[in-house]
Amino acid sequence: MRITGGQVFDLHEGFLRRDVCFDGRLLSDSSSDGKIYDAAGCYVIPGLTDLHFHGCKGQDFSDGDAGGLETMAKYELSRGVTQICPAGMTLLEDQLIRICRVAAAHREADRPGAALCGVNLEGPFLSRAKKGAQNGDWLRDPDPALLRRLLTESKGLVKLVSVAPELPGAMEFIEAVEEIVTVSLAHTTADYDTAMEAFRLGARQVTHLFNAMPPFSHRAPGVVGAALDTPGCMVELICDGIHIHPAVVRSVFKMFGEQRVILISDSMRAAGMPDGQYTLGGQDVTVKGKLATLADGTIAGSVTDLMGCLKTAVSFGIPLHAAVRAAAVNPARAIGIYSRCGSLEPGKRANVVILDEHLELKDVFFRGELVRGEG
Protein backbone atom coordinates (compact mmCIF):
# COMPACT_ATOMS: atom_id res chain seq x y z
CA MET A 1 0.00 0.00 0.00
CA ARG A 2 1.14 3.52 -0.84
CA ILE A 3 -0.59 6.39 0.97
CA THR A 4 -0.04 9.47 -1.14
CA GLY A 5 -0.99 13.14 -1.27
CA GLY A 6 -1.36 13.72 2.47
CA GLN A 7 0.43 15.84 5.05
CA VAL A 8 2.50 13.27 6.93
CA PHE A 9 3.56 13.64 10.56
CA ASP A 10 7.33 13.84 11.03
CA LEU A 11 8.77 14.05 14.53
CA HIS A 12 11.44 16.55 13.56
CA GLU A 13 9.93 18.47 10.64
CA GLY A 14 6.25 18.78 11.57
CA PHE A 15 4.09 17.80 8.62
CA LEU A 16 5.60 16.97 5.23
CA ARG A 17 4.12 16.07 1.88
CA ARG A 18 5.47 12.56 1.27
CA ASP A 19 4.26 9.01 0.71
CA VAL A 20 3.80 6.42 3.44
CA CYS A 21 4.33 2.85 2.26
CA PHE A 22 3.92 -0.59 3.73
CA ASP A 23 3.95 -4.20 2.64
CA GLY A 24 2.18 -6.45 5.09
CA ARG A 25 2.35 -5.39 8.72
CA LEU A 26 5.40 -3.09 8.59
CA LEU A 27 6.10 0.36 7.18
CA SER A 28 8.61 0.36 4.35
CA ASP A 29 10.43 2.63 1.92
CA SER A 30 8.33 1.43 -0.99
CA SER A 31 5.32 -0.72 -1.82
CA SER A 32 5.21 -3.57 -4.29
CA ASP A 33 1.50 -4.41 -4.36
CA GLY A 34 0.44 -1.43 -6.49
CA LYS A 35 -2.38 -0.32 -4.16
CA ILE A 36 -2.82 3.43 -3.75
CA TYR A 37 -4.66 5.32 -1.01
CA ASP A 38 -5.35 8.95 -1.91
CA ALA A 39 -4.91 11.09 1.23
CA ALA A 40 -5.10 14.45 -0.55
CA GLY A 41 -6.32 17.14 1.85
CA CYS A 42 -5.77 14.86 4.85
CA TYR A 43 -3.30 14.45 7.69
CA VAL A 44 -1.46 11.14 8.05
CA ILE A 45 -0.38 10.39 11.61
CA PRO A 46 0.80 7.37 13.64
CA GLY A 47 -1.74 5.34 15.56
CA LEU A 48 -2.16 6.73 19.07
CA THR A 49 -1.23 5.07 22.37
CA ASP A 50 -3.47 5.58 25.41
CA LEU A 51 -1.51 4.56 28.49
CA HIS A 52 -4.18 5.70 30.95
CA PHE A 53 -7.81 4.82 30.36
CA HIS A 54 -10.14 2.70 32.46
CA GLY A 55 -12.89 1.78 30.07
CA CYS A 56 -15.19 2.61 27.19
CA LYS A 57 -18.24 1.28 25.34
CA GLY A 58 -19.90 0.15 28.59
CA GLN A 59 -16.89 -1.88 29.76
CA ASP A 60 -14.24 -1.33 32.47
CA PHE A 61 -10.82 -2.96 32.74
CA SER A 62 -11.33 -3.31 36.51
CA ASP A 63 -14.23 -5.70 35.89
CA GLY A 64 -11.68 -8.34 34.93
CA ASP A 65 -13.91 -9.54 32.09
CA ALA A 66 -12.22 -10.98 28.99
CA GLY A 67 -15.09 -10.12 26.67
CA GLY A 68 -15.23 -6.61 28.05
CA LEU A 69 -11.53 -6.07 27.42
CA GLU A 70 -11.95 -7.19 23.82
CA THR A 71 -14.87 -4.78 23.39
CA MET A 72 -12.67 -1.98 24.73
CA ALA A 73 -9.79 -2.89 22.41
CA LYS A 74 -12.06 -2.93 19.36
CA TYR A 75 -13.58 0.44 20.19
CA GLU A 76 -10.21 2.06 20.83
CA LEU A 77 -8.92 0.79 17.49
CA SER A 78 -11.97 2.20 15.73
CA ARG A 79 -11.03 5.58 17.20
CA GLY A 80 -7.43 5.53 15.95
CA VAL A 81 -5.90 4.33 19.21
CA THR A 82 -3.82 1.39 17.98
CA GLN A 83 -1.97 0.65 21.25
CA ILE A 84 -3.56 0.49 24.70
CA CYS A 85 -2.30 0.23 28.27
CA PRO A 86 -5.55 -0.02 30.29
CA ALA A 87 -5.57 1.21 33.88
CA GLY A 88 -6.94 -0.55 36.91
CA MET A 89 -8.37 1.24 39.93
CA THR A 90 -7.81 0.78 43.66
CA LEU A 91 -9.02 -2.81 44.07
CA LEU A 92 -8.56 -5.71 46.45
CA GLU A 93 -5.59 -7.97 45.68
CA ASP A 94 -7.73 -10.80 44.31
CA GLN A 95 -9.28 -8.48 41.74
CA LEU A 96 -5.93 -6.92 40.85
CA ILE A 97 -4.63 -10.43 40.17
CA ARG A 98 -7.70 -11.16 38.06
CA ILE A 99 -7.29 -8.12 35.81
CA CYS A 100 -3.61 -8.92 35.34
CA ARG A 101 -4.42 -12.49 34.33
CA VAL A 102 -7.12 -11.34 31.93
CA ALA A 103 -4.69 -8.89 30.34
CA ALA A 104 -2.01 -11.56 29.96
CA ALA A 105 -4.46 -14.00 28.37
CA HIS A 106 -5.76 -11.29 26.02
CA ARG A 107 -2.21 -10.45 24.92
CA GLU A 108 -1.19 -14.08 24.44
CA ALA A 109 -4.29 -14.85 22.35
CA ASP A 110 -3.72 -11.71 20.23
CA ARG A 111 -7.39 -10.82 20.52
CA PRO A 112 -9.00 -8.40 18.02
CA GLY A 113 -8.71 -4.66 18.46
CA ALA A 114 -5.93 -2.33 19.49
CA ALA A 115 -2.73 -4.01 20.65
CA LEU A 116 -2.55 -4.40 24.42
CA CYS A 117 0.97 -3.25 25.27
CA GLY A 118 0.83 -2.93 29.04
CA VAL A 119 -1.13 -2.60 32.26
CA ASN A 120 -1.31 0.60 34.29
CA LEU A 121 -1.85 0.20 38.06
CA GLU A 122 -3.50 3.42 39.25
CA GLY A 123 -3.92 2.19 42.80
CA PRO A 124 -3.95 0.96 45.48
CA PHE A 125 -0.87 2.90 46.74
CA LEU A 126 -2.59 6.28 46.96
CA SER A 127 -3.42 8.97 49.53
CA ARG A 128 -6.79 8.79 51.25
CA ALA A 129 -6.93 12.60 51.35
CA LYS A 130 -6.62 12.80 47.56
CA LYS A 131 -8.38 9.58 46.58
CA GLY A 132 -10.72 11.26 44.09
CA ALA A 133 -12.88 8.53 42.53
CA GLN A 134 -10.78 5.73 44.06
CA ASN A 135 -12.35 3.45 46.69
CA GLY A 136 -10.86 4.58 50.01
CA ASP A 137 -11.66 1.28 51.75
CA TRP A 138 -9.15 -0.56 49.55
CA LEU A 139 -6.21 1.84 49.71
CA ARG A 140 -2.96 0.46 51.15
CA ASP A 141 0.65 1.46 51.69
CA PRO A 142 3.14 0.76 48.88
CA ASP A 143 4.14 -2.90 48.82
CA PRO A 144 6.93 -4.11 46.48
CA ALA A 145 5.97 -7.76 47.09
CA LEU A 146 2.43 -7.13 45.85
CA LEU A 147 3.72 -5.36 42.76
CA ARG A 148 6.02 -8.28 41.98
CA ARG A 149 3.10 -10.72 42.33
CA LEU A 150 1.09 -8.64 39.88
CA LEU A 151 4.03 -8.50 37.47
CA THR A 152 4.17 -12.28 37.58
CA GLU A 153 0.41 -12.69 37.07
CA SER A 154 0.44 -10.26 34.14
CA LYS A 155 3.46 -12.03 32.60
CA GLY A 156 5.41 -8.80 32.67
CA LEU A 157 2.68 -6.55 31.30
CA VAL A 158 2.60 -4.13 34.24
CA LYS A 159 4.37 -1.05 32.89
CA LEU A 160 3.16 1.75 35.18
CA VAL A 161 2.36 2.02 38.88
CA SER A 162 1.04 5.11 40.64
CA VAL A 163 2.14 5.98 44.16
CA ALA A 164 1.65 8.79 46.67
CA PRO A 165 5.24 9.41 47.82
CA GLU A 166 4.27 10.65 51.30
CA LEU A 167 2.88 7.26 52.32
CA PRO A 168 4.81 5.03 54.75
CA GLY A 169 7.34 2.97 52.81
CA ALA A 170 6.81 4.87 49.56
CA MET A 171 10.41 5.96 49.10
CA GLU A 172 11.69 2.44 49.76
CA PHE A 173 9.07 1.16 47.29
CA ILE A 174 10.28 3.54 44.59
CA GLU A 175 13.90 2.48 45.08
CA ALA A 176 12.92 -1.19 44.97
CA VAL A 177 10.85 -1.14 41.77
CA GLU A 178 11.98 1.81 39.62
CA GLU A 179 14.12 -0.39 37.39
CA ILE A 180 11.28 -2.77 36.52
CA VAL A 181 8.30 -0.41 36.10
CA THR A 182 7.69 3.31 35.59
CA VAL A 183 6.70 4.87 38.92
CA SER A 184 4.26 7.77 38.53
CA LEU A 185 3.28 10.17 41.33
CA ALA A 186 -0.46 10.36 41.84
CA HIS A 187 -3.37 11.02 44.22
CA THR A 188 -1.00 12.68 46.63
CA THR A 189 -0.63 15.44 49.22
CA ALA A 190 3.14 15.56 48.68
CA ASP A 191 4.91 18.90 48.84
CA TYR A 192 7.76 19.98 46.55
CA ASP A 193 10.56 18.48 48.66
CA THR A 194 8.83 15.11 49.04
CA ALA A 195 8.14 14.92 45.32
CA MET A 196 11.73 15.88 44.50
CA GLU A 197 13.00 13.08 46.72
CA ALA A 198 10.71 10.63 44.95
CA PHE A 199 12.04 11.74 41.57
CA ARG A 200 15.61 11.49 42.84
CA LEU A 201 14.96 7.89 43.86
CA GLY A 202 13.57 6.91 40.46
CA ALA A 203 9.98 8.07 39.95
CA ARG A 204 9.78 9.56 36.46
CA GLN A 205 6.17 10.40 35.63
CA VAL A 206 3.15 12.25 37.04
CA THR A 207 -0.34 10.82 36.72
CA HIS A 208 -2.98 13.26 35.37
CA LEU A 209 -1.08 16.46 36.25
CA PHE A 210 -2.97 18.89 38.54
CA ASN A 211 -5.74 16.40 39.32
CA ALA A 212 -5.73 14.84 42.81
CA MET A 213 -2.66 16.72 44.04
CA PRO A 214 -1.84 20.08 45.66
CA PRO A 215 -2.05 23.10 43.35
CA PHE A 216 0.98 24.76 41.79
CA SER A 217 1.38 28.01 43.71
CA HIS A 218 4.03 30.68 44.13
CA ARG A 219 5.19 29.53 47.59
CA ALA A 220 4.23 25.86 47.40
CA PRO A 221 5.01 24.50 43.92
CA GLY A 222 4.21 20.92 44.97
CA VAL A 223 4.40 17.94 42.63
CA VAL A 224 3.90 20.14 39.57
CA GLY A 225 6.93 22.28 40.39
CA ALA A 226 9.03 19.25 41.29
CA ALA A 227 8.18 17.59 37.97
CA LEU A 228 9.11 20.78 36.12
CA ASP A 229 12.48 20.85 37.91
CA THR A 230 13.22 17.19 37.09
CA PRO A 231 14.67 16.77 33.57
CA GLY A 232 13.05 13.92 31.71
CA CYS A 233 10.04 13.63 33.99
CA MET A 234 6.92 13.03 31.88
CA VAL A 235 3.52 14.44 32.80
CA GLU A 236 0.11 13.08 31.85
CA LEU A 237 -2.58 15.57 30.87
CA ILE A 238 -6.30 14.88 30.52
CA CYS A 239 -7.47 17.10 27.69
CA ASP A 240 -11.21 16.41 27.58
CA GLY A 241 -12.29 20.02 28.12
CA ILE A 242 -13.48 19.19 31.65
CA HIS A 243 -10.47 18.30 33.81
CA ILE A 244 -8.09 21.09 32.76
CA HIS A 245 -8.80 24.70 31.71
CA PRO A 246 -7.62 25.56 28.17
CA ALA A 247 -5.20 28.19 29.50
CA VAL A 248 -3.60 25.58 31.77
CA VAL A 249 -3.28 23.13 28.88
CA ARG A 250 -1.44 25.79 26.89
CA SER A 251 0.72 26.61 29.93
CA VAL A 252 1.74 22.98 30.42
CA PHE A 253 2.94 22.66 26.84
CA LYS A 254 4.89 25.92 27.21
CA MET A 255 6.42 24.99 30.57
CA PHE A 256 7.27 21.33 29.96
CA GLY A 257 7.67 21.38 26.19
CA GLU A 258 5.88 19.02 23.82
CA GLN A 259 8.53 16.34 24.39
CA ARG A 260 7.47 15.84 28.05
CA VAL A 261 3.65 15.91 27.83
CA ILE A 262 1.60 12.73 27.47
CA LEU A 263 -2.01 13.18 26.47
CA ILE A 264 -4.29 10.64 28.15
CA SER A 265 -8.04 10.14 28.08
CA ASP A 266 -8.58 8.71 31.60
CA SER A 267 -11.85 7.50 30.08
CA MET A 268 -14.33 5.36 32.00
CA ARG A 269 -16.95 2.92 30.72
CA ALA A 270 -19.30 5.68 29.52
CA ALA A 271 -16.94 6.73 26.72
CA GLY A 272 -18.72 5.99 23.46
CA MET A 273 -22.02 5.62 25.32
CA PRO A 274 -25.07 7.86 25.94
CA ASP A 275 -25.69 9.90 29.09
CA GLY A 276 -26.85 7.90 32.08
CA GLN A 277 -25.80 6.01 35.19
CA TYR A 278 -22.57 4.02 35.19
CA THR A 279 -19.95 2.75 37.66
CA LEU A 280 -16.23 3.29 38.18
CA GLY A 281 -14.21 1.24 40.62
CA GLY A 282 -17.44 0.00 42.22
CA GLN A 283 -18.83 3.51 42.72
CA ASP A 284 -21.91 5.01 41.03
CA VAL A 285 -21.23 7.65 38.38
CA THR A 286 -23.63 10.04 36.65
CA VAL A 287 -22.74 11.07 33.10
CA LYS A 288 -24.16 14.15 31.42
CA GLY A 289 -22.49 15.41 28.29
CA LYS A 290 -18.72 15.35 28.79
CA LEU A 291 -18.99 15.36 32.61
CA ALA A 292 -18.85 12.21 34.77
CA THR A 293 -19.31 12.68 38.53
CA LEU A 294 -19.73 10.71 41.74
CA ALA A 295 -22.68 11.46 44.03
CA ASP A 296 -20.61 14.08 45.92
CA GLY A 297 -19.72 15.90 42.70
CA THR A 298 -16.17 14.50 42.36
CA ILE A 299 -15.11 14.18 38.72
CA ALA A 300 -14.91 10.47 37.93
CA GLY A 301 -12.72 10.04 34.88
CA SER A 302 -13.62 11.27 31.42
CA VAL A 303 -15.99 10.15 28.69
CA THR A 304 -13.74 11.33 25.85
CA ASP A 305 -11.41 8.95 24.01
CA LEU A 306 -7.82 9.89 23.24
CA MET A 307 -8.53 10.95 19.65
CA GLY A 308 -11.17 13.31 21.01
CA CYS A 309 -8.64 14.64 23.51
CA LEU A 310 -6.14 15.28 20.71
CA LYS A 311 -8.73 17.26 18.78
CA THR A 312 -9.69 19.20 21.93
CA ALA A 313 -6.03 20.07 22.57
CA VAL A 314 -5.77 21.53 19.07
CA SER A 315 -8.97 23.53 19.62
CA PHE A 316 -7.28 25.00 22.72
CA GLY A 317 -4.40 26.29 20.60
CA ILE A 318 -1.92 23.41 20.80
CA PRO A 319 -0.24 22.94 17.39
CA LEU A 320 -1.33 19.71 15.71
CA HIS A 321 2.25 18.46 15.52
CA ALA A 322 2.68 18.92 19.29
CA ALA A 323 -0.64 17.24 20.05
CA VAL A 324 0.20 14.23 17.87
CA ARG A 325 3.59 13.91 19.53
CA ALA A 326 1.92 13.96 22.96
CA ALA A 327 -0.63 11.31 21.97
CA ALA A 328 1.50 9.01 19.82
CA VAL A 329 5.25 9.42 20.35
CA ASN A 330 5.55 10.26 24.05
CA PRO A 331 3.24 7.57 25.46
CA ALA A 332 4.89 4.92 23.29
CA ARG A 333 8.26 5.96 24.69
CA ALA A 334 6.93 6.00 28.26
CA ILE A 335 5.91 2.33 28.15
CA GLY A 336 8.88 1.14 26.11
CA ILE A 337 7.25 0.39 22.75
CA TYR A 338 8.56 3.26 20.61
CA SER A 339 11.01 0.98 18.81
CA ARG A 340 8.06 -0.69 17.08
CA CYS A 341 5.28 1.93 16.95
CA GLY A 342 4.49 5.59 17.63
CA SER A 343 5.94 7.11 14.45
CA LEU A 344 5.85 6.55 10.70
CA GLU A 345 9.38 5.26 10.16
CA PRO A 346 10.18 2.24 7.96
CA GLY A 347 10.41 -0.95 9.97
CA LYS A 348 7.75 0.05 12.47
CA ARG A 349 4.26 -1.39 12.54
CA ALA A 350 1.91 -0.15 9.83
CA ASN A 351 -0.48 1.52 12.29
CA VAL A 352 -1.57 4.67 10.48
CA VAL A 353 -4.44 7.09 11.01
CA ILE A 354 -5.97 9.36 8.37
CA LEU A 355 -7.62 12.59 9.58
CA ASP A 356 -9.52 14.97 7.32
CA GLU A 357 -8.87 18.71 7.22
CA HIS A 358 -11.17 19.20 10.23
CA LEU A 359 -9.32 16.47 12.21
CA GLU A 360 -12.26 14.10 11.92
CA LEU A 361 -11.22 10.46 11.83
CA LYS A 362 -11.43 9.11 8.28
CA ASP A 363 -9.61 5.77 8.26
CA VAL A 364 -7.32 3.60 10.36
CA PHE A 365 -4.72 1.13 9.16
CA PHE A 366 -3.75 -1.46 11.75
CA ARG A 367 -0.95 -3.91 10.98
CA GLY A 368 -1.38 -2.90 7.37
CA GLU A 369 -5.12 -3.65 7.22
CA LEU A 370 -7.77 -0.97 6.70
CA VAL A 371 -10.20 -0.51 9.58
CA ARG A 372 -13.41 1.41 8.98
CA GLY A 373 -16.27 2.74 11.11
CA GLU A 374 -16.76 2.77 14.88
CA GLY A 375 -16.81 -0.33 17.08
Side-chain angles (χ1 to χ4, degrees):
M1 174 70 71
R2 180 184 297 274
I3 300 174
T4 187
Q7 294 292 329
V8 178
F9 173 82
D10 181 274
L11 180 59
H12 304 291
E13 302 294 334
F15 282 89
L16 303 173
R17 180 68 63 83
R18 69 172 178 85
D19 292 350
V20 174
C21 301
F22 49 88
D23 283 308
R25 294 187 169 201
L26 300 179
L27 297 166
S28 58
D29 291 315
S30 62
S31 177
S32 59
D33 63 9
K35 295 180 180 179
I36 301 292
Y37 181 103
D38 184 3
C42 296
Y43 297 100
V44 183
I45 67 173
L48 309 186
T49 296
D50 198 346
L51 57 69
H52 187 155
F53 79 108
H54 298 279
C56 55
K57 214 60 177 172
Q59 308 299 321
D60 191 313
F61 181 53
S62 291
D63 293 342
D65 179 73
L69 180 54
E70 184 171 324
T71 296
M72 290 165 55
K74 288 178 177 178
Y75 177 74
E76 293 295 320
L77 179 57
S78 78
R79 296 293 301 147
V81 181
T82 53
Q83 295 80 226
I84 57 174
C85 181
M89 296 282 286
T90 293
L91 305 167
L92 294 175
E93 181 171 349
D94 286 351
Q95 189 64 11
L96 288 171
I97 288 173
R98 178 177 175 83
I99 67 174
C100 285
R101 287 175 175 171
V102 167
H106 180 99
R107 173 65 177 266
E108 284 191 338
D110 194 23
R111 304 301 300 168
L116 195 155
C117 296
V119 168
N120 182 344
L121 297 178
E122 189 192 6
F125 311 132
L126 310 175
S127 164
R128 188 173 303 277
K130 291 289 186 178
K131 64 183 178 62
Q134 304 282 339
N135 190 325
D137 293 338
W138 298 338
L139 293 170
R140 58 189 292 176
D141 292 338
D143 181 354
L146 172 57
L147 178 61
R148 289 192 176 96
R149 290 196 292 274
L150 297 176
L151 272 164
T152 297
E153 297 292 349
S154 71
K155 298 187 177 180
L157 274 179
V158 174
K159 302 297 183 182
L160 291 160
V161 60
S162 290
V163 63
E166 72 275 16
L167 294 177
M171 297 302 181
E172 294 81 1
F173 175 88
I174 293 170
E175 277 194 294
V177 307
E178 59 91 13
E179 291 187 356
I180 54 176
V181 296
T182 293
V183 178
S184 187
L185 304 192
H187 292 270
T188 174
T189 61
D191 60 13
Y192 174 88
D193 291 335
T194 302
M196 284 299 292
E197 178 66 5
F199 291 132
R200 186 187 71 81
L201 292 173
R204 55 184 185 272
Q205 194 160 303
V206 178
T207 302
H208 46 52
L209 191 71
F210 295 110
N211 296 112
M213 64 186 61
F216 176 52
S217 71
H218 62 304
R219 291 193 182 92
V223 174
V224 179
L228 187 59
D229 279 351
T230 303
C233 177
M234 307 296 288
V235 295
E236 300 175 5
L237 198 64
I238 308 171
C239 198
D240 62 346
I242 297 293
H243 283 77
I244 307 290
H245 190 278
V248 178
V249 171
R250 292 189 290 272
S251 296
V252 169
F253 274 85
K254 289 176 182 177
M255 290 191 301
F256 286 88
E258 65 184 59
Q259 71 276 11
R260 293 176 62 188
V261 180
I262 298 172
L263 288 184
I264 62 167
S265 71
D266 197 20
S267 68
M268 46 87 72
R269 68 171 81 240
M273 300 291 286
D275 291 357
Q277 297 297 125
Y278 297 89
T279 61
L280 178 66
Q283 300 181 88
D284 292 332
V285 176
T286 299
V287 173
K288 186 174 182 180
K290 287 187 174 183
L291 181 62
T293 56
L294 301 181
D296 64 1
T298 301
I299 295 177
S302 89
V303 295
T304 304
D305 60 64
L306 185 58
M307 188 61 73
C309 290
L310 183 153
K311 186 176 179 182
T312 299
V314 174
S315 76
F316 288 170
I318 304 305
L320 179 58
H321 173 267
V324 172
R325 178 170 185 160
V329 176
N330 298 345
R333 283 180 167 164
I335 60 172
I337 60 172
Y338 186 66
S339 63
R340 55 185 187 274
C341 53
S343 67
L344 299 177
E345 302 169 69
K348 292 194 175 184
R349 291 176 181 169
N351 298 341
V352 185
V353 173
I354 312 296
L355 303 177
D356 70 16
E357 60 183 325
H358 305 294
L359 305 187
E360 294 296 332
L361 185 62
K362 185 176 181 183
D363 276 314
V364 181
F365 291 90
F366 180 64
R367 297 174 178 172
E369 297 292 330
L370 184 61
V371 178
R372 294 182 183 274
E374 292 198 359

